[in-house]
Amino acid sequence: MVKFAYRCSTCGKRYGRDEVRYLCPECGRSYRPGMPLRGVLTAEFDYRSIRRKFRRTRPDWGLFCAVEPRFFPPFEMGATPFFRSAALGGAFGLGDVWIKNDALNPSGSLKDRASFLVAAEANRLGEGTIVTASTGNAASSLAAVCAAGGKRAVIFVPQSAPKAKLVQMLLYGALVVPVRGTYDDAFRLSLEYTARHGGLNRNTGYHPLTIEGKKTVGLEIWQQNGWRVPSVIVVPTGDGVILGGVFKAFEDLREAGLIPRLPRLVCVQAEKSCAIHRYISTGRYRNASNPATIADSISVSVPSNAHLARAAVLRSRGFSLTVSDREILEGQRTLAATSGVFAEPAAAAAAAALGKLLRAKELRPREQVVVLVTGNGLKDVDAALGNVRIPAAIAPTEAGLESVAGRLAEKGPP
Ligand SMILES: *Cc1c(COP(=O)(O)O)cnc(C)c1O
Ligand SMILES: [Zn+2]
């Protein structure tokens, strides 16, 4: 049996694991669609026992996990590469930049971590259907995990989601419901759906285990970094659940006495979808009125986890910044050309932010910076087309062949 309790992040009240399912029953009552969630629950583990039992030589990550392994669906995810990219750092004048490549999860995004844990919880509860709203990746991820785990996925997704993401969900066999509206409309509809028809709701932030699932990326970074805490982790942010999850990883480790300090978390948002950034920098919350950005995965008017995300950034002594769509595309190009990693626009926003860290004077050039690559570029090839020009075809002749060397010279050095 895993030992943990839920704690309400708004009022602090504690609940047993099976006393609650989504939000704090008291604070959640004042929640209305169209505002960030209130009463988001966080899992509190038995940190004294973790401290006693955890061994670096044979790490038992089950100590930090809210669902027992026997409920895990047969879906291999996580354990993604973590490596230094001197060239990426060099492009931005930074000396020690590392990539955590979560684009290499089975469905192509970090969302697999959350979907996996919620599906495990569904197994524990005996729920056969999981419902979510999504800008695209949470849905394609949930569809993949449900396919592997023999569950039904019901998915509300804005009509405008990129084709590759829609293809993924459909191919995995989910019931896909495109909504003529925004992600925020889809979010509201999915809440109403489970309230009326049941099933387990996987909405980000709303189900507490989405934060716990995303937490595993932070635990992995610590281990892969040789049990050291990086100086800074750059996190592309929409609803703020990845940010909350990464914070929770290091907070758990610190509570257990395994690390001395937290990494500074940098929240990166798109210029027009920056409700959390504004909340962090002004202390006042306001929805993003028209969150139009090429980075569909971080396009959110009402970020569900805004309150916890802001607290995570402040408590880690981090900061937030925004990037424009043009900067996101440049970041995508630089990341690909220096490290061989093709990120979707939302993930490329983190790379784009590297160019602003030094200028923000929040950072010294030699500090260790980790860029969280959250989603795969192949999911939105249309967006990346803005970065390239498809070359004219050559004739299949001697003359055609001879033109190649000239083209290479034009490209210049690598
Ligand atoms: C969901 C997602 C994000 C943002 O995560 P939040 O928890 O909504 O802040 C960033 N990048 C990608 C690729 C995503 O799919
Ligand atoms: Zn509460």
Side-chain angles (χ1 to χ4, degrees):
M1 251 304 259
V2 182
K3 270 187 21 199
F4 75 96
Y6 284 121
R7 184 172 172 279
C8 171
S9 59
T10 307
C11 74
K13 197 163 176 228
R14 286 189 173 71
Y15 299 94
R17 175 189 201 177
D18 285 306
E19 267 185 281
V20 283
R21 192 173 264 202
Y22 303 117
L23 303 176
C24 167
E26 281 167 34
C27 304
R29 222 178 301 147
S30 68
Y31 167 69
R32 297 285 172 274
M35 59 190 258
L37 297 174
R38 283 275 174 200
V40 173
L41 298 171
T42 59
E44 276 191 342
F45 293 83
D46 179 353
Y47 296 108
R48 297 239 304 267
S49 118
I50 292 179
R51 173 170 215 161
R52 230 179 23 250
K53 293 183 186 154
F54 189 82
R55 294 280 171 279
R56 289 177 183 186
T57 41
R58 278 191 63 207
D60 175 5
W61 296 113
L63 294 168
F64 293 89
C65 184
V67 184
E68 294 78 358
R70 68 176 185 280
F71 297 115
F72 289 177
F75 185 78
E76 284 298 316
M77 52 90 229
T80 56
F82 176 73
F83 57 95
R84 181 159 184 254
S85 175
L88 177 62
F92 295 108
L94 296 167
D96 198 18
V97 169
W98 293 63
I99 292 171
K100 175 65 173 166
N101 190 1
D102 250 46
L104 291 185
N105 274 299
S107 85
S109 84
L110 187 148
K111 299 290 195 291
D112 284 349
R113 297 175 183 275
S115 299
F116 177 83
L117 198 61
V118 173
E121 177 74 344
N123 282 334
R124 189 181 75 83
L125 297 170
E127 288 280 8
T129 303
I130 311 181
V131 181
T132 200
S134 166
T135 57
N137 283 341
S140 44
S141 161
L142 179 65
V145 176
C146 283
K151 301 215 170 290
R152 283 235 154 274
V154 177
I155 281 158
F156 295 85
V157 63
Q159 201 177 18
S160 61
K163 277 232 172 59
K165 298 183 183 182
L166 286 167
V167 169
Q168 270 189 294
M169 335 170 182
L170 291 164
L171 192 68
Y172 292 133
L175 174 65
V176 176
V177 187
V179 176
R180 281 196 306 275
T182 62
Y183 164 61
D184 304 277
D185 295 320
F187 196 90
R188 178 173 47 78
L189 290 178
S190 77
L191 290 183
E192 285 172 20
Y193 182 88
T194 38
R196 290 186 199 177
H197 301 284
L200 191 61
N201 193 302
R202 178 229 179 270
N203 274 3
T204 194
Y206 184 67
H207 197 298
L209 296 191
T210 53
I211 302 176
E212 287 299 308
K214 289 178 172 187
K215 171 180 96 173
T216 58
V217 76
L219 299 177
E220 277 176 25
I221 289 172
W222 179 55
Q223 177 176 25
Q224 291 172 311
N225 199 36
W227 312 107
R228 286 186 319 260
V229 179
S231 183
V232 173
I233 303 180
V234 184
V235 184
T237 300
D239 276 306
V241 176
I242 297 180
L243 204 50
V246 172
F247 178 79
K248 179 64 162 43
F250 290 95
E251 180 80 338
D252 275 359
L253 292 170
R254 193 173 61 170
E255 288 287 323
L258 296 169
I259 59 170
R261 60 173 179 87
L262 303 174
R264 299 175 73 193
L265 300 183
V266 177
C267 162
V268 181
Q269 292 207 285
E271 248 169 26
K272 292 202 175 134
S273 176
C274 71
I276 294 179
H277 163 73
R278 209 166 38 213
Y279 190 24
I280 289 168
S281 39
T282 67
R284 307 259 291 253
Y285 177 80
R286 186 154 52 83
N287 293 344
S289 52
N290 173 25
T293 165
I294 191 170
D296 60 292
S297 297
I298 52 173
S299 168
V300 186
S301 165
V302 190
S304 62
N305 203 39
H307 299 302
L308 273 182
R310 172 172 180 265
V313 170
L314 296 180
R315 286 172 58 197
S316 77
R317 298 175 14 267
F319 54 97
S320 73
L321 52 84
T322 63
V323 287
S324 67
D325 280 8
R326 197 174 50 75
E327 289 165 333
I328 288 172
L329 280 177
E330 273 172 28
Q332 184 182 50
R333 193 157 15 107
T334 308
L335 177 64
T338 56
S339 70
V341 172
F342 182 18
E344 67 164 273
L354 290 177
K356 299 192 160 174
L357 293 184
L358 284 181
R359 253 178 292 153
K361 290 220 187 349
E362 297 273 5
L363 196 89
R364 280 166 286 121
R366 307 253 14 121
E367 283 185 78
Q368 186 186 22
V369 177
V370 176
V371 179
L372 197 51
V373 176
T374 47
N376 200 304
L378 293 172
K379 283 169 167 280
D380 193 356
V381 169
D382 284 347
L385 278 175
N387 254 330
V388 297
R389 195 164 46 84
I390 297 186
I394 59 167
T397 61
E398 179 79 32
L401 188 61
E402 279 311 301
S403 68
V404 176
R407 288 188 184 189
L408 188 60
E410 258 172 54
K411 255 182 117 55

